[in-house]
PDB file of all heavy atoms in Angstrom:
ATOM      1  N   GLN A  71      -0.728  -3.595   3.462  1.00 94.00           N
ATOM      2  CA  GLN A  71      -0.237  -4.789   2.921  1.00 94.00           C
ATOM      3  C   GLN A  71       0.280  -4.540   1.421  1.00 94.00           C
ATOM      4  O   GLN A  71       1.290  -4.974   1.139  1.00 94.00           O
ATOM      5  CB  GLN A  71      -1.233  -5.864   2.946  1.00 94.00           C
ATOM      6  CG  GLN A  71      -1.584  -6.378   4.278  1.00 94.00           C
ATOM      7  CD  GLN A  71      -2.657  -7.350   4.342  1.00 94.00           C
ATOM      8  OE1 GLN A  71      -3.251  -7.802   3.297  1.00 94.00           O
ATOM      9  NE2 GLN A  71      -3.015  -7.814   5.502  1.00 94.00           N
ATOM     10  N   ALA A  72      -0.580  -3.788   0.713  1.00 96.00           N
ATOM     11  CA  ALA A  72      -0.172  -3.542  -0.661  1.00 96.00           C
ATOM     12  C   ALA A  72       1.013  -2.702  -0.814  1.00 96.00           C
ATOM     13  O   ALA A  72       1.899  -2.965  -1.728  1.00 96.00           O
ATOM     14  CB  ALA A  72      -1.378  -2.878  -1.482  1.00 96.00           C
ATOM     15  N   CYS A  73       1.164  -1.822   0.090  1.00 97.00           N
ATOM     16  CA  CYS A  73       2.384  -0.802   0.174  1.00 97.00           C
ATOM     17  C   CYS A  73       3.536  -1.670   0.467  1.00 97.00           C
ATOM     18  O   CYS A  73       4.632  -1.472  -0.252  1.00 97.00           O
ATOM     19  CB  CYS A  73       2.146   0.297   1.092  1.00 97.00           C
ATOM     20  SG  CYS A  73       1.071   1.597   0.642  1.00 97.00           S
ATOM     21  N   CYS A  74       3.478  -2.574   1.295  1.00 95.00           N
ATOM     22  CA  CYS A  74       4.631  -3.428   1.741  1.00 95.00           C
ATOM     23  C   CYS A  74       4.920  -4.377   0.595  1.00 95.00           C
ATOM     24  O   CYS A  74       6.218  -4.552   0.274  1.00 95.00           O
ATOM     25  CB  CYS A  74       4.133  -4.223   2.955  1.00 95.00           C
ATOM     26  SG  CYS A  74       5.558  -5.250   3.592  1.00 95.00           S
ATOM     27  N   ARG A  75       4.045  -4.971  -0.038  1.00 95.00           N
ATOM     28  CA  ARG A  75       4.239  -5.794  -1.202  1.00 95.00           C
ATOM     29  C   ARG A  75       4.939  -4.930  -2.310  1.00 95.00           C
ATOM     30  O   ARG A  75       5.831  -5.511  -2.967  1.00 95.00           O
ATOM     31  CB  ARG A  75       2.936  -6.342  -1.642  1.00 95.00           C
ATOM     32  CG  ARG A  75       3.177  -7.430  -2.806  1.00 95.00           C
ATOM     33  CD  ARG A  75       1.986  -8.200  -3.155  1.00 95.00           C
ATOM     34  NE  ARG A  75       1.376  -8.925  -2.068  1.00 95.00           N
ATOM     35  CZ  ARG A  75       1.698 -10.244  -1.842  1.00 95.00           C
ATOM     36  NH1 ARG A  75       2.717 -10.844  -2.426  1.00 95.00           N
ATOM     37  NH2 ARG A  75       1.209 -10.788  -0.781  1.00 95.00           N
ATOM     38  N   MET A  76       4.499  -3.820  -2.580  1.00 97.00           N
ATOM     39  CA  MET A  76       5.052  -2.968  -3.592  1.00 97.00           C
ATOM     40  C   MET A  76       6.503  -2.602  -3.197  1.00 97.00           C
ATOM     41  O   MET A  76       7.466  -2.665  -4.110  1.00 97.00           O
ATOM     42  CB  MET A  76       4.262  -1.574  -3.739  1.00 97.00           C
ATOM     43  CG  MET A  76       4.799  -0.583  -4.699  1.00 97.00           C
ATOM     44  SD  MET A  76       3.759   0.927  -4.648  1.00 97.00           S
ATOM     45  CE  MET A  76       4.689   1.906  -5.817  1.00 97.00           C
ATOM     46  N   ASP A  77       6.763  -2.183  -1.926  1.00 97.00           N
ATOM     47  CA  ASP A  77       8.210  -1.954  -1.638  1.00 97.00           C
ATOM     48  C   ASP A  77       9.139  -3.034  -1.724  1.00 97.00           C
ATOM     49  O   ASP A  77      10.179  -2.804  -2.013  1.00 97.00           O
ATOM     50  CB  ASP A  77       8.173  -1.345  -0.227  1.00 97.00           C
ATOM     51  CG  ASP A  77       7.401  -0.052   0.012  1.00 97.00           C
ATOM     52  OD1 ASP A  77       7.220   0.593  -1.064  1.00 97.00           O
ATOM     53  OD2 ASP A  77       7.066   0.310   1.103  1.00 97.00           O
ATOM     54  N   LYS A  78       8.623  -4.225  -1.454  1.00 95.00           N
ATOM     55  CA  LYS A  78       9.461  -5.447  -1.581  1.00 95.00           C
ATOM     56  C   LYS A  78       9.610  -6.211  -2.808  1.00 95.00           C
ATOM     57  O   LYS A  78      10.284  -7.117  -2.973  1.00 95.00           O
ATOM     58  CB  LYS A  78       9.087  -6.343  -0.404  1.00 95.00           C
ATOM     59  CG  LYS A  78       9.272  -5.912   1.041  1.00 95.00           C
ATOM     60  CD  LYS A  78       8.809  -6.898   1.995  1.00 95.00           C
ATOM     61  CE  LYS A  78       8.995  -6.264   3.338  1.00 95.00           C
ATOM     62  NZ  LYS A  78       8.535  -7.238   4.509  1.00 95.00           N
ATOM     63  N   ALA A  79       8.692  -5.743  -3.807  1.00 94.00           N
ATOM     64  CA  ALA A  79       8.616  -6.423  -4.998  1.00 94.00           C
ATOM     65  C   ALA A  79       9.910  -6.478  -5.774  1.00 94.00           C
ATOM     66  O   ALA A  79      10.556  -5.495  -5.970  1.00 94.00           O
ATOM     67  CB  ALA A  79       7.578  -5.766  -5.888  1.00 94.00           C
ATOM     68  N   GLN A  80      10.270  -7.713  -6.262  1.00 92.00           N
ATOM     69  CA  GLN A  80      11.456  -7.945  -6.990  1.00 92.00           C
ATOM     70  C   GLN A  80      11.151  -8.332  -8.487  1.00 92.00           C
ATOM     71  O   GLN A  80      12.117  -8.489  -9.278  1.00 92.00           O
ATOM     72  CB  GLN A  80      12.289  -9.037  -6.328  1.00 92.00           C
ATOM     73  CG  GLN A  80      12.684  -8.682  -4.934  1.00 92.00           C
ATOM     74  CD  GLN A  80      13.745  -7.635  -4.893  1.00 92.00           C
ATOM     75  OE1 GLN A  80      14.637  -7.555  -5.741  1.00 92.00           O
ATOM     76  NE2 GLN A  80      13.631  -6.578  -4.101  1.00 92.00           N
ATOM     77  N   SER A  81       9.845  -8.537  -8.774  1.00 92.00           N
ATOM     78  CA  SER A  81       9.458  -8.913 -10.095  1.00 92.00           C
ATOM     79  C   SER A  81       8.131  -8.252 -10.500  1.00 92.00           C
ATOM     80  O   SER A  81       7.437  -7.835  -9.675  1.00 92.00           O
ATOM     81  CB  SER A  81       9.384 -10.493 -10.072  1.00 92.00           C
ATOM     82  OG  SER A  81       8.213 -10.808  -9.369  1.00 92.00           O
ATOM     83  N   ALA A  82       7.849  -8.439 -11.850  1.00 93.00           N
ATOM     84  CA  ALA A  82       6.653  -8.018 -12.429  1.00 93.00           C
ATOM     85  C   ALA A  82       5.512  -8.762 -11.788  1.00 93.00           C
ATOM     86  O   ALA A  82       4.388  -8.087 -11.452  1.00 93.00           O
ATOM     87  CB  ALA A  82       6.645  -8.213 -13.899  1.00 93.00           C
ATOM     88  N   ALA A  83       5.608 -10.056 -11.469  1.00 92.00           N
ATOM     89  CA  ALA A  83       4.516 -10.817 -10.824  1.00 92.00           C
ATOM     90  C   ALA A  83       4.212 -10.289  -9.387  1.00 92.00           C
ATOM     91  O   ALA A  83       3.045 -10.170  -9.144  1.00 92.00           O
ATOM     92  CB  ALA A  83       4.837 -12.295 -10.822  1.00 92.00           C
ATOM     93  N   GLU A  84       5.263  -9.952  -8.730  1.00 93.00           N
ATOM     94  CA  GLU A  84       4.984  -9.534  -7.414  1.00 93.00           C
ATOM     95  C   GLU A  84       4.381  -8.101  -7.415  1.00 93.00           C
ATOM     96  O   GLU A  84       3.484  -7.824  -6.541  1.00 93.00           O
ATOM     97  CB  GLU A  84       6.400  -9.435  -6.578  1.00 93.00           C
ATOM     98  CG  GLU A  84       6.830 -10.800  -6.261  1.00 93.00           C
ATOM     99  CD  GLU A  84       8.205 -10.744  -5.687  1.00 93.00           C
ATOM    100  OE1 GLU A  84       8.948  -9.562  -5.755  1.00 93.00           O
ATOM    101  OE2 GLU A  84       8.728 -11.780  -5.153  1.00 93.00           O
ATOM    102  N   ARG A  85       4.736  -7.205  -8.313  1.00 95.00           N
ATOM    103  CA  ARG A  85       4.169  -5.930  -8.538  1.00 95.00           C
ATOM    104  C   ARG A  85       2.803  -6.062  -8.984  1.00 95.00           C
ATOM    105  O   ARG A  85       1.798  -5.321  -8.579  1.00 95.00           O
ATOM    106  CB  ARG A  85       4.962  -5.155  -9.535  1.00 95.00           C
ATOM    107  CG  ARG A  85       6.237  -4.426  -8.807  1.00 95.00           C
ATOM    108  CD  ARG A  85       7.005  -3.387  -9.658  1.00 95.00           C
ATOM    109  NE  ARG A  85       7.555  -4.057 -10.798  1.00 95.00           N
ATOM    110  CZ  ARG A  85       8.728  -4.673 -10.762  1.00 95.00           C
ATOM    111  NH1 ARG A  85       9.412  -4.605  -9.682  1.00 95.00           N
ATOM    112  NH2 ARG A  85       9.264  -5.134 -11.923  1.00 95.00           N
ATOM    113  N   LYS A  86       2.494  -7.097  -9.840  1.00 94.00           N
ATOM    114  CA  LYS A  86       1.037  -7.227 -10.251  1.00 94.00           C
ATOM    115  C   LYS A  86       0.144  -7.578  -8.953  1.00 94.00           C
ATOM    116  O   LYS A  86      -0.982  -7.126  -8.987  1.00 94.00           O
ATOM    117  CB  LYS A  86       1.046  -8.519 -11.329  1.00 94.00           C
ATOM    118  CG  LYS A  86      -0.357  -8.819 -11.693  1.00 94.00           C
ATOM    119  CD  LYS A  86      -1.036  -7.858 -12.631  1.00 94.00           C
ATOM    120  CE  LYS A  86      -2.368  -8.319 -13.204  1.00 94.00           C
ATOM    121  NZ  LYS A  86      -3.515  -7.954 -12.603  1.00 94.00           N
ATOM    122  N   LEU A  87       0.601  -8.270  -8.079  1.00 94.00           N
ATOM    123  CA  LEU A  87      -0.157  -8.581  -6.847  1.00 94.00           C
ATOM    124  C   LEU A  87      -0.434  -7.344  -6.151  1.00 94.00           C
ATOM    125  O   LEU A  87      -1.587  -7.108  -5.689  1.00 94.00           O
ATOM    126  CB  LEU A  87       0.511  -9.637  -5.961  1.00 94.00           C
ATOM    127  CG  LEU A  87       0.649 -11.072  -6.502  1.00 94.00           C
ATOM    128  CD1 LEU A  87       1.606 -11.850  -5.569  1.00 94.00           C
ATOM    129  CD2 LEU A  87      -0.671 -11.721  -6.647  1.00 94.00           C
TER     130      LEU A  87
END
Side-chain angles (χ1 to χ4, degrees):
Q71 291 173 3
C73 289
C74 183
R75 186 172 297 276
M76 177 184 179
D77 293 343
K78 293 180 180 179
Q80 298 291 317
S81 68
E84 291 172 346
R85 281 187 292 277
K86 174 68 170 103
L87 290 173

